[in-house]
Amino acid sequence: MAEGFEFVAMARALLREPDLINRLQREPATRSLRIHCNKCMPTIFTGTHCVLA
């Protein structure tokens, strides 16, 4: 779990900001807009997406 948890956190950030990886490469100090609200969780069986995006 310790080795893979960061990937789970990153996947959730990418739901909100699909271009996040490119932004991080251009500007390493970029911060994600993800707020850890878990509102995406009810959508996991119907096409996971960020309801705030």
Side-chain angles (χ1 to χ4, degrees):
M1 181 81 170
E3 293 178 10
F5 187 73
E6 290 174 359
F7 291 111
V8 172
M10 192 64 176
R12 293 173 116 192
L14 291 172
L15 285 174
R16 174 115 193 237
E17 302 172 82
D19 67 329
L20 182 59
I21 299 296
N22 292 329
R23 286 189 8 241
L24 287 169
Q25 287 178 330
R26 287 191 308 268
E27 180 56 49
T30 296
R31 297 199 39 117
S32 173
L33 297 174
R34 184 167 178 265
I35 59 170
H36 305 279
C37 67
N38 290 324
K39 291 183 180 182
C40 62
M41 294 309 291
T43 71
I44 62 173
F45 297 111
T46 59
T48 307
H49 66 280
C50 178
V51 300
L52 301 177

